[in-house]
Amino acid sequence: MRINCPCCGERGPEEFSYLGDASLRRPAPEASEAEWADYVYLRENPSGRFRELWYHSAGCHAWLVVERDLRTHEIFSVEFARDVAMKGGAA
Ligand SMILES: [Zn+2]
């Protein structure tokens, strides 16, 4: 698998840190304990196309939203996470 960083170009996954589901949103500070527990501990186990956060830790230090197929590792898109957030965070 190769990730095409918008800043650095195509790089191997060893240059990145995987941060998981790009659709998670932090609860409000006053959210219930159950909401916080779900946010911190519960994750889906999807198959197929999925949007994930990756951090280019050995490169430009950019946060990226990578859409890929979790079965084949085919990558469909790579965007800066800040650009996704500016579009309304529809990760
Ligand atoms: Zn980069």
Side-chain angles (χ1 to χ4, degrees), residues 14 25 30 32 46-47 71 73 86-88:
E14 67 279 359
R25 294 294 173 261
E30 64 276 8
S32 70
S47 178
R71 293 167 297 183
H73 302 293
M86 294 297 281
K87 289 189 287 188

Side-chain angles (χ1 to χ4, degrees), residues 5-9 11 16 56 59-62 64:
C5 175
C7 186
C8 307
R11 298 287 195 271
F16 297 84
H56 200 179
C60 62
H61 294 222
L64 305 173

